[in-house]
Amino acid sequence: MAQRKRATIREVAQATGLSPAAVSYALRGLHVSAETVQRVRRAAAELGYEAHPIARALASGRTGMIGLLCGSLEDLWQQSLAVGIGRALRDKDRYALILDAAGNPARERTLALQLRDQRVDALIVQPVDPAALFWGDLAEGLPIVAIGDALSGGRGAAEVVFDNRSGVTMALQYLRDRGHRHVAVLTPTRSSTPDRPADVHVIAEGRRLGLEIAVRTSGQGVSEAAQVAEEFLAGADRPAAVFCFSDSIAYGVYKAAARLGLSIPGDVAVMGYDDHPMSELLGLTTVNWDIDGIVREAVRLVVAASDGTLRRRRIVQAPALRERRSV
């Protein structure tokens, strides 16, 4: 079957009795009345007109694409974040180009540069390595909105950051108040990026609270986290509690405990850090960061940044404890 030819803007103009320029303005909602916008869009829909993305980009200097570079899509919370941002951008007539850094700083740099070369209008990133020097060069020509951790040196156009100091303190104090002194901390942070705020603070705060803290690195995937957790849960010096810097990692601890015949919280307490919806079903005590609020603010900021109407903004997300039965 032959493919139907794409309708042109001239055909829409002929159908409405307007000039091609007036149709173009109406399709973008510019310089014409609401009645004209409605009439043009109705005609365009009837004719099957779709603006050619390349032509639109050449004419406007914009692609309508927003890059979304996730730290690791093995993390179920980041999957939910990506879904929320993608849908919210679509409501703003933008499209998300979603890529996964897989927790790898080198991959993050490569993908960030690729998104720039694909001419996205702006970039949202949950950075694996917020201190990387390349962010400064990238931000000179591309608006960047960071989520979670700020890019060092204030290099982004805006940021929606977690108050990790409060979140870590809240979690560790909660464990200490329930009698736990030996705490294993599982983090996705690699040794090559040791300066992430939450990881830095957990050591200092553990020392202040008189806790014995042992930090271990784990990927975001449940299977990898289970393997890491099983190694120390099976040892003679098993920690009393495990604090995980993502709920996905905590699910791996649940899996490891089940393999070893350990009960939660009877044999080991477990705490997460982002309150994925599945955590309520499991009864995981965790720290909530208001994902709906993060999506709303990040999309608002990135749309303004791509339109060139944003003054640099910093929004700090406050944590909230979700107390359940895992501690």
Side-chain angles (χ1 to χ4, degrees), residues 259-282:
R259 286 176 180 169
L260 296 170
L262 301 175
S263 68
I264 297 173
D267 295 312
V268 61
V270 182
M271 192 166 184
Y273 201 59
D274 50 41
D275 198 21
H276 185 271
M278 192 183 299
S279 297
E280 185 174 4
L281 298 176
L282 289 175

Side-chain angles (χ1 to χ4, degrees), residues 101-122:
N104 187 323
R107 179 182 173 90
E108 176 177 67
R109 180 182 185 278
T110 297
L111 294 179
L113 296 177
Q114 287 179 351
L115 286 168
R116 177 202 61 190
D117 293 344
Q118 289 181 266
R119 298 189 64 184
V120 296
D121 295 334

Side-chain angles (χ1 to χ4, degrees), residues 170-184 240-244 247 250 253-254 263-273 279 282-287 321-327:
M170 177 185 294
L172 293 183
Q173 283 184 339
Y174 182 81
L175 292 172
R176 186 198 63 174
D177 291 347
R178 277 141 192 84
H180 301 295
R181 293 294 182 269
H182 182 191
V183 180
V242 185
F243 173 36
C244 305
D247 285 13
V253 179
Y254 270 75
S263 68
I264 297 173
D267 295 312
V268 61
V270 182
M271 192 166 184
Y273 201 59
S279 297
L282 289 175
L284 176 67
T285 297
T286 187
V287 176
L321 182 68
R322 296 289 185 262
E323 185 177 4
R324 301 187 179 113
R325 61 179 182 270
S326 66
V327 176

Side-chain angles (χ1 to χ4, degrees), residues 99-251:
L99 296 179
D100 176 18
N104 187 323
R107 179 182 173 90
E108 176 177 67
R109 180 182 185 278
T110 297
L111 294 179
L113 296 177
Q114 287 179 351
L115 286 168
R116 177 202 61 190
D117 293 344
Q118 289 181 266
R119 298 189 64 184
V120 296
D121 295 334
L123 173 64
I124 299 174
V125 60
Q126 189 168 14
V128 174
D129 186 5
L133 296 177
F134 78 89
W135 292 120
D137 294 335
L138 189 65
E140 289 183 2
L142 180 66
I144 302 174
V145 175
I147 293 178
D149 293 325
L151 304 180
S152 64
R155 294 184 175 103
E159 53 208 28
V160 184
V161 297
F162 301 160
D163 184 356
N164 282 302
R165 181 175 294 273
S166 295
V168 167
T169 298
M170 177 185 294
L172 293 183
Q173 283 184 339
Y174 182 81
L175 292 172
R176 186 198 63 174
D177 291 347
R178 277 141 192 84
H180 301 295
R181 293 294 182 269
H182 182 191
V183 180
V185 176
L186 288 182
T187 174
T189 300
R190 301 186 181 194
S191 57
S192 60
T193 56
D195 48 2
R196 290 176 61 88
D199 297 80
V200 171
H201 188 59
V202 78
I203 299 295
E205 194 63 0
R207 186 180 300 116
R208 184 185 72 83
L209 293 170
L211 301 177
E212 181 183 346
I213 299 288
V215 179
R216 294 174 171 84
T217 299
S218 170
Q220 302 275 19
V222 172
S223 294
E224 181 180 347
Q227 183 176 352
V228 172
E230 192 168 347
E231 291 175 1
F232 64 80
L233 289 179
D237 191 24
R238 184 175 69 228
V242 185
F243 173 36
C244 305
F245 272 136
S246 81
D247 285 13
S248 288
I249 294 176
Y251 304 155

Side-chain angles (χ1 to χ4, degrees), residues 2-14 27 43-57 95:
Q3 185 176 8
R4 186 178 183 274
K5 184 180 177 182
R6 182 192 295 265
T8 67
I9 199 168
R10 291 188 178 278
E11 290 173 313
V12 178
Q14 290 172 359
L27 289 171
E46 291 173 354
L47 291 170
Y49 171 79
E50 296 178 4
H52 194 288
I54 296 176
R56 181 174 60 187
Y95 300 86

